[in-house]
Amino acid sequence: MPETNYATDRHLVGRAIADITGEPAEVGMLGYGKGDQKTTGIHLRLRSRAFVFVDPLVDRRVLLIVNDLPLIFSSITQEVLRRLAQRFGDTYTQSNVMLTATHTHCGPGGYSHHRLYNGSAGFRPKTFAAIVDGILEAVERAHEDLAPATLRLVHGELREASVNRSRAAFDRNPEEDKEFFPDAIDPQTTLLRIDREGEPVGAINWFATHGTSMSNRNTLISGDNKGYAAYHWEHVVEGVNYLADPDPDFVAAFAQTNAGDMSPNLDGRPGDATDERENTRALGLRQYEAAAKLAAGYVPRMAGSIDHRVVHVDLSAVTVSAEFTGDEREHRTGRPAGGAAAFAGAGYDGPTHWKTFHEGSNPGWDLLSRLVYRFAPSLRDVQAPKAIVAPGGLLNRLGPYVQEIVPVQLLQIGELYLIGIPGEVTIAAGLRLRRTVAAILGAEPANVLVAGYSNAYIHYVTTPEEYDAQHYEGASTLFGRWELPALQQIAAQLATAMHDGSPVPSGTEAPDLSEVQRPAKATPPVDFPPVGHDFGDVLSEPAPAYRAGEQVSVEFAGAHPNHDLHRGSTYLMVQRRDGERWRTIADDGDWSTTFTWSRGTASSSRVTITWDSPADATPGTYRIRYFGDAVKSGTDRVPISGTSPEFRIHDDEQGD
């Protein structure tokens, strides 16, 4: 029989959503490393989902924030913690706050304090502010939302949403790893359901697959497959209206785990299908359906307390004991370095433009590195057989290039344990971390998850055996062959401290680099409408009528969208006439719409809005509205808008 005595709920939980969409025009997108992939608009807005878990019996809490972002950098974590301290004192700290990313490759970059990730354009203050302000907004709402709740944890399997993109490297692992993953994927899908008085009010799902369903040809902001999964559950299934309801009845987050070698492109090609948007929707829908199936079944109530530990470690200088190295010898990590194969990209998800680099062997670079290793045995022990191309440690002497001091975290939420790793962990590497922590805590291994992409970023984490293959993932394991054993050793220290109820020294944090940033020259030019037009004029009209299911397109004389990011608002509305009023049925946060900006002549802007009308759209009269902000010569920013001519939607029975 299901439990009904909700008065015995041990935990308090708060949950909330906020918009974190950055600049939608002319900003390099983060993830694929493709210099000409710059934002031109929005397909699906990016959101932050915050969850506060409190155990009043021991007066402890943790804050988990799942963000539709490519990556989390220390720049974001440090500023969020600084602002939380101003707002809440010592309630939320570096120990009990986990910021994690879904790893979409369709978000604007420029928000790191390390140069590698900002490209040649530099730091983007507007995008940085949009992310931080949105995260803070989500946390404040979740904090106010705290109420008694029942936590329920369940696991299942999903086998049609990932494939191992580095199989040859995975196959180098010992049998005990390969037997655990006989299909070379991690099929575990984990659901944490949050109930109030017997009704689900929130859910967090963890599943390992990359946010690369949208290819490196896409230039519209999107949450990719996990963003769609959350949107589908919240908006399509539960009816959440992101604009109208700042405190929704249901919040669903789809978080990452050890997705380092997991691709969503099942046929081995970037984009997977001829329609990458449909592929994104399909992969997101599979994750939703697996999570929803778990949520609809019997989900046992979860016991246990709340706890947290964090340590800051210089990963370039860890002495790793023989207990974790696997060869009965002590080893050390070293300064970060990128290998030749890192410049080749991951073929399943999008190779780079560097045609001279390949996964595996790169003869010229291999020979050069062997010569260097001959005269530097300590470097050889750390980095061989990597063909070093980008010595990050050397580059860091010229300025902040990649991060070396990073947080490693362990959170307990009832019976669930999250190992916060600031990188992309392969499934075999994740399994070793999970087993290490589970053994110390006496936990079920399924209840111990790697929370990758958390709090900072160090690129990849591979097993030593995978590292030796020097595929994309191994070449991107910056701190060398012993990086994973070092992280296992650190995770063991955190788990031991948590098991014993003892504190752990937090270590020296990474320096705050906010004062040494070079902001991008990102001020949009003064706006002018196209010759012969005013702002908001319709340049291309919709047809008079469409069948339900057809795409509607309208082009407006617009302005540069980076003047005002409309965070928490929208650049567009699709409206249907309802009696004497117009009812908004879609905006730029909906999957059915796209907002695309392009530059015209003489600093003019053209804005194209499309709407894929649903196959079951209500017959009637519709219109599309555009909202922007123009900066005219010698004036402040002024709002502008445009409205399309009305058009009809009819079903097939009504005819043309």
Side-chain angles (χ1 to χ4, degrees), residues 541-554 611 613 617-623 644-652 654-656:
E541 296 185 355
Y546 297 86
R547 287 188 177 90
E550 291 187 320
Q551 185 180 87
V552 183
S553 179
V554 187
W611 174 52
S613 66
T618 302
T621 301
Y622 290 76
R623 69 182 185 182
S644 78
E646 297 174 9
F647 56 91
R648 296 279 301 172
I649 295 287
H650 57 74
D651 56 32
D652 286 336
Q654 291 178 295
D656 293 329

Side-chain angles (χ1 to χ4, degrees), residues 12-140:
L12 303 176
V13 181
R15 61 300 83 98
I17 310 171
D19 184 0
I20 53 172
T21 309
E23 293 159 282
E26 301 187 297
V27 177
M29 301 185 89
L30 183 60
Y32 286 113
K34 196 163 176 264
D36 59 351
Q37 188 188 17
K38 296 183 178 181
T39 55
T40 61
I42 298 172
H43 183 208
L44 192 64
R45 279 192 174 262
L46 307 182
R47 304 194 187 277
S48 176
R49 294 169 174 88
F51 300 84
V52 180
F53 300 92
V54 179
D55 182 351
L57 294 181
V58 294
D59 191 25
R60 284 197 295 264
R61 70 180 61 203
V62 298
L63 168 59
L64 174 64
I65 313 168
V66 182
N67 302 283
D68 291 335
L69 288 174
L71 299 166
I72 293 293
F73 298 113
S74 59
S75 56
I76 297 294
T77 301
Q78 290 170 344
E79 183 62 19
V80 166
L81 289 173
R82 184 181 299 113
R83 299 263 298 272
L84 287 175
Q86 293 172 353
R87 173 71 173 80
F88 298 104
D90 60 0
T91 300
Y92 299 107
T93 68
Q94 60 183 335
S95 180
N96 70 356
V97 175
M98 176 181 284
L99 284 148
T100 187
T102 61
H103 197 43
T104 173
H105 283 45
C106 303
Y111 58 93
S112 175
H113 285 166
H114 290 85
R115 293 179 184 174
L116 179 61
Y117 315 106
N118 294 339
S120 59
F123 185 69
R124 308 287 303 204
K126 276 193 173 182
T127 289
F128 180 83
I131 294 169
V132 171
D133 290 347
I135 290 172
L136 266 293
E137 190 175 295
V139 173
E140 289 174 349

Side-chain angles (χ1 to χ4, degrees), residues 238-253:
E238 295 293 339
V240 171
N241 186 323
Y242 298 109
L243 295 185
D245 188 2
D247 301 305
D249 294 331
F250 190 83
V251 178

Side-chain angles (χ1 to χ4, degrees), residues 150-186:
T150 305
L151 298 180
R152 301 180 183 275
L153 184 68
V154 65
H155 309 288
E157 288 194 348
L158 174 58
R159 294 187 173 274
E160 299 297 329
S162 62
V163 64
N164 197 309
R165 70 185 191 188
S166 195
R167 182 62 184 264
F170 172 82
D171 284 342
R172 288 173 171 257
N173 287 307
E175 290 301 320
E176 62 178 329
D177 293 342
K178 292 188 289 184
E179 287 175 359
F180 193 86
F181 299 122
D183 298 321
I185 64 169
D186 183 354

Side-chain angles (χ1 to χ4, degrees), residues 371-394:
L371 292 173
V372 172
Y373 290 149
R374 183 179 301 175
F375 298 100
S378 60
L379 178 63
R380 180 182 63 220
D381 181 61
V382 170
Q383 294 287 3
K386 181 185 290 176
I388 297 176
V389 173
L394 178 62

Side-chain angles (χ1 to χ4, degrees), residues 421-624:
I421 300 293
E424 311 194 39
V425 185
T426 64
I427 58 172
L431 178 62
R432 295 186 196 180
L433 284 162
R434 293 164 63 191
R435 284 173 165 167
T436 297
V437 170
I440 294 170
L441 292 172
E444 291 291 331
N447 290 353
V448 180
L449 302 178
V450 168
Y453 312 94
S454 290
N455 301 320
Y457 188 59
I458 58 169
H459 292 257
Y460 279 76
V461 182
T462 55
T463 67
E465 295 84 358
E466 292 167 342
Y467 182 88
D468 289 345
Q470 280 301 293
H471 281 205
Y472 173 74
E473 296 82 8
S476 302
T477 299
L478 299 187
F479 298 92
R481 194 175 190 271
W482 310 107
E483 181 180 291
L484 171 62
L487 289 169
Q488 285 181 265
Q489 179 173 282
I490 297 161
Q493 294 167 355
L494 294 172
T496 300
M498 185 173 286
H499 176 272
D500 296 343
S502 60
V504 59
S506 63
T508 302
E509 299 177 44
D512 183 345
L513 303 172
S514 56
E515 298 300 321
V516 297
Q517 297 310 301
R518 295 181 300 174
K521 297 177 181 178
T523 302
V526 171
D527 294 298
F528 294 94
V531 176
H533 292 277
D534 290 326
F535 291 113
D537 280 358
V538 175
L539 303 179
S540 177
E541 296 185 355
Y546 297 86
R547 287 188 177 90
E550 291 187 320
Q551 185 180 87
V552 183
S553 179
V554 187
E555 187 177 45
F556 293 92
H560 202 291
N562 291 1
H563 292 313
D564 188 315
L565 305 189
H566 290 211
R567 193 182 67 78
S569 182
T570 182
Y571 290 104
L572 69 91
M573 288 182 180
V574 180
Q575 298 180 321
R576 184 183 72 243
R577 185 183 290 279
D578 185 3
E580 297 300 315
R581 61 188 291 267
W582 288 95
R583 182 184 300 275
T584 298
I585 60 169
D587 55 60
D588 70 8
D590 280 290
W591 185 259
S592 62
T593 65
T594 64
F595 169 83
T596 305
W597 171 88
S598 63
R599 187 183 296 281
T601 59
S603 294
S604 66
S605 293
R606 304 174 79 92
V607 168
T608 302
I609 295 170
T610 68
W611 174 52
D612 293 321
S613 66
D616 60 351
T618 302
T621 301
Y622 290 76
R623 69 182 185 182
I624 292 177

